Amino acid sequence: MNHFALSAALLLTTAAAHATPPAGQDALAGAQIKVDVGGRKLNMYCTGKGAPTVLFEADSGRAGWDWSAVLPEVAKRTRACVYDRAGMGASDPIMRASTVANASKDLNFLIKNAHLDAPFVLVGAGYGAMVAQHYALRSRGAVTGLVLVEAMHEDALPADRAASLETALACLNAAEQGKTGAGCAYPATAINGEIGPRLAAAQAAQAARPSYWRARASELDSLDTSASQMRTARKPFGDMPVAEVAHGEPAAIAAAVMEVLDKQK
């Protein structure tokens, strides 16, 4: 082995030694608690103790495991829960359009049927921030704080959404034929931290399922409808603590959650 190859091998070995996934990440790689939300079941996982319960909402086309680096930090302080929207992660496939209002209804059923006790602090990323806000606006008494990470806004939808939908539909077609389409991997995110082998395998399996791409395409295809639903629901949050995080970095998100928790009455 030449000097360059040896150095590269040593660097890879050193990196692997420090590339440890967040504690408890493996629990998010498969089904945990399946909660009925009306003829379908959504996958949920909770850890930690205390009140209020912090409940995480993932970005568009993403599963609850995206929060694996933030969840254990919040669970040191209070009860923390993640779940998968319909068609994502280990949840059942979609049976209707994946709009913000439908996701908000599913979240309402999830909370009731899982017997989660209010109050809640909701943490949403991107599209998930719209879902979190819609639920909060419809359930004022239950939600006492919001953390919005790189939040999507109803009046500033992604300019590339048509191209993203086209890609999702192409990946759906490939998955239905049992093929692996170009650019059809589960996308990486800085929120997730290091990815361990079990989660990497779960993400690869997710990207091979037509049900995942069908749900992802539906969220993209329904964005204009979701935006209209948000405009209808939109009201001032009053004195509810709302923290906004511009960049999805685990430490910054955890710090924002702690800030909101500190303001709970």
Side-chain angles (χ1 to χ4, degrees):
M1 181 181 292
N2 62 36
H3 178 73
F4 176 82
L6 178 61
S7 298
L10 289 173
L11 284 172
L12 287 171
T13 301
T14 302
H18 293 285
T20 304
Q25 185 185 87
D26 286 356
L28 302 180
Q32 291 291 333
I33 301 172
K34 298 295 286 289
V35 182
D36 188 278
V37 295
R40 296 164 294 118
K41 291 184 178 180
L42 302 185
N43 180 53
M44 182 185 73
Y45 173 73
C46 295
T47 182
K49 297 180 180 180
T53 295
V54 177
L55 202 154
F56 294 85
E57 188 77 48
D59 199 354
S60 177
R62 313 193 68 93
W65 57 46
D66 275 14
W67 300 103
S68 68
V70 182
L71 185 70
E73 295 304 311
V74 175
K76 293 175 183 177
R77 169 81 175 266
T78 192
R79 187 82 166 150
C81 300
V82 297
Y83 83 103
D84 303 325
R85 287 192 300 276
M88 310 295 172
S91 288
D92 289 349
I94 61 171
M95 295 178 63
R96 57 186 180 182
S98 298
T99 65
V100 159
N102 282 338
S104 179
K105 289 176 184 177
D106 281 354
L107 178 56
N108 184 57
F109 277 118
L110 177 87
I111 287 171
K112 288 184 177 180
N113 293 344
H115 306 292
L116 297 178
D117 294 326
F120 303 100
V121 169
L122 301 186
V123 184
Y127 174 84
M130 288 209 299
V131 176
Q133 290 176 87
H134 192 279
Y135 179 81
L137 289 164
R138 295 296 189 182
S139 309
R140 280 299 185 88
V143 180
T144 57
L146 284 168
V147 178
L148 309 177
V149 182
E150 298 180 356
M152 186 182 295
H153 193 277
E154 61 268 22
D155 294 328
L157 297 179
D160 63 348
R161 61 188 184 278
S164 296
L165 174 58
E166 185 177 344
T167 297
L169 290 173
C171 291
L172 170 59
N173 182 61
E176 288 177 334
Q177 297 181 49
K179 299 177 181 178
T180 302
C184 294
Y186 186 85
T189 174
I191 294 175
N192 218 348
E194 190 63 37
I195 302 297
R198 282 196 62 186
L199 183 53
Q203 290 182 350
Q206 174 98 133
R209 288 197 288 268
S211 58
Y212 166 68
W213 292 107
R214 196 170 291 114
R216 186 166 169 177
S218 184
E219 285 188 344
L220 290 165
D221 193 38
S222 302
L223 272 181
D224 287 328
T225 299
S226 293
S228 178
Q229 292 168 345
M230 276 303 307
R231 291 188 195 99
T232 299
R234 178 72 70 185
K235 299 174 184 175
F237 287 111
D239 59 358
M240 180 191 298
V242 179
E244 297 189 15
V245 182
H247 303 288
E249 194 275 325
I253 298 168
V257 174
M258 299 307 168
E259 178 185 338
V260 171
L261 289 174
D262 287 340
K263 294 178 180 178
Q264 301 298 295
K265 297 178 182 179

